[in-house]
Amino acid sequence: MPRSITITEMPPDRLNADNVLPLVSTKALGRSLYRYLTITGSTNDDARRLGERGAPHGTIVVADGQTQGKGRHDRPWVSPFAQGIYATLLLRPPGFAQTDTTLIPLLAAVAAAEAIESTAGELTPAIKWPNDILVNEHKVAGVLAEAAYTSENLNFIVVGIGINVNTPTSALPVRPLYPASSLAIEAGHLISRAALLAAWINRFEHWLLRLCNGEQAAVRNQWSHFATITNRRVTVRDSNGIICGSVEGISDDGALLIRTDEGKQVHILSGDVGVEEGYSTGGKSKCVSNKSTSS
Ligand code: BTN
């Protein structure tokens, strides 16, 4: 498989409405609610501000570059100009059950994996819990979902997708766990960002409609179809320590279910997961029972 590409010309596509919307076939997402910025700080922050001002369900903020791109666990998301996809959907769908909020990041990852499959057919995407998208064991995309509440009630969710599409190795971050790559590096040729973004929006709406229709199991099943780590031994690092065990699957709300070596089932809501042979503890930490996330 190719491990480097030479980008001799910039692909002509900008992710503006004229290039993307002709490929979008949704009812509610995007369309007249498509907001394009050449460059911005973070599309998640932009969508959040729009949400606080009452912007409708289906608004999407898309930028060709970000200066303050945010990843999970307060990490930066490197967002070089016109090489990746940086987009955030604002959701407040009618009929959405607040309890389904935790499934939204998984749904976004499923839509991304399907979009990669359909746009770069020679690649086989996989999802690492909860929503990292891998190709050939390299991270090519990630999801950052943030919920906003008014007192106890969900007001809106913003769900951002970052995909390294035509990013050369020199522009990728160094990652300790799963190395970063881009779709172009893995495929050996440039890929249309406009087609990929449109496919993500289309697949996202498909699965959101099914979720709102009570088909949570279908979303989880499709996530499991792409999942890499079921039945594998993993090490999970979260704010409470490190847990080692075997992955049994995901719970109804999308938490990772691990059977520890002591035979206890642990319910992980947030953390970094690595398969054991690829995960370094730096020689300082060892596996511990994690009381705060156990069930
Ligand atoms: C991760 O850490 O894997 C999640 C990365 C999410 C990055 C995307 S890029 C578009 C949106 N805007 C942001 O600032 N972050 C998300």
Side-chain angles (χ1 to χ4, degrees):
M1 78 204 56
R3 286 257 57 89
S4 68
I5 48 161
T6 307
I7 296 182
T8 50
E9 59 182 68
M10 290 297 285
D13 60 341
R14 287 287 179 272
L15 296 181
N16 54 26
D18 283 352
N19 284 337
V20 177
L21 287 184
L23 307 170
V24 170
S25 55
T26 53
K27 291 193 174 69
L29 302 189
R31 301 198 153 275
S32 65
L33 306 170
Y34 194 92
R35 303 282 171 266
Y36 169 74
L37 300 159
T38 312
I39 195 148
T40 190
S42 155
T43 56
N44 266 37
D45 290 349
D46 294 333
R48 216 187 161 95
R49 275 191 289 272
L50 289 172
E52 278 153 11
R53 283 190 239 130
H57 169 64
T59 299
I60 184 165
V61 181
V62 176
D64 267 317
Q66 295 183 124
T67 55
Q68 304 288 325
K70 305 187 299 185
R72 291 171 61 235
H73 304 301
D74 293 325
R75 296 181 187 123
W77 185 260
V78 177
S79 311
F81 184 74
Q83 294 177 339
I85 286 174
Y86 322 111
T88 303
L89 274 164
L90 169 63
L91 308 175
R92 34 176 139 228
F96 182 73
Q98 193 162 324
T99 46
D100 288 338
T101 305
T102 53
L103 292 178
I104 290 291
L106 278 63
L107 185 159
V110 165
E114 292 179 339
I116 290 168
E117 255 183 355
S118 65
T119 312
E122 69 272 46
L123 299 180
T124 305
I127 301 176
K128 182 173 77 65
W129 183 88
N131 42 46
D132 286 349
I133 293 100
L134 310 179
V135 171
N136 302 326
E137 300 273 314
H138 286 65
K139 178 163 171 172
V140 294
V143 173
L144 180 65
E146 302 174 273
Y149 293 86
T150 46
S151 58
E152 301 285 286
N153 294 321
L154 182 67
N155 185 8
F156 59 84
I157 302 169
V158 296
V159 53
I161 181 89
I163 310 181
N164 303 326
V165 185
N166 295 321
T167 323
T169 310
S170 58
L172 290 167
V174 176
R175 287 176 44 84
L177 194 45
Y178 283 84
S181 188
S182 69
L183 300 180
I185 292 171
E186 298 306 318
H189 57 81
L190 298 177
I191 284 161
S192 164
R193 292 182 308 131
L196 184 61
L197 174 59
W200 181 70
I201 299 169
N202 291 338
R203 294 314 293 163
F204 196 108
E205 182 168 276
H206 168 86
W207 287 109
L208 185 64
L209 289 173
R210 294 188 67 174
L211 185 64
C212 292
N213 199 29
E215 296 183 63
Q216 289 82 356
V219 174
R220 284 193 299 272
N221 287 345
Q222 187 66 346
W223 184 92
S224 298
H225 166 74
F226 287 109
T228 52
I229 56 174
T230 310
N231 298 323
R232 290 177 79 177
R233 274 190 64 79
V234 296
T235 307
V236 184
R237 184 193 294 264
D238 76 359
S239 52
N240 296 297
I242 292 180
I243 300 168
C244 305
S246 170
V247 174
E248 295 194 322
I250 53 171
S251 64
D252 286 355
D253 58 359
L256 186 69
L257 299 174
I258 293 198
R259 183 71 58 184
T260 67
D261 296 340
E262 298 78 42
K264 189 167 79 171
Q265 192 183 66
V266 182
H267 196 105
I268 308 280
L269 296 170
S270 163
D272 272 336
V273 180
V275 288
E276 280 207 340
E277 60 273 20
Y279 194 69
S280 164
T281 62
K284 292 186 185 130
S285 313
K286 59 182 182 165
C287 297
V288 293
S289 289
N290 187 320
K291 295 196 172 53
S292 66
T293 53
S294 299
S295 63

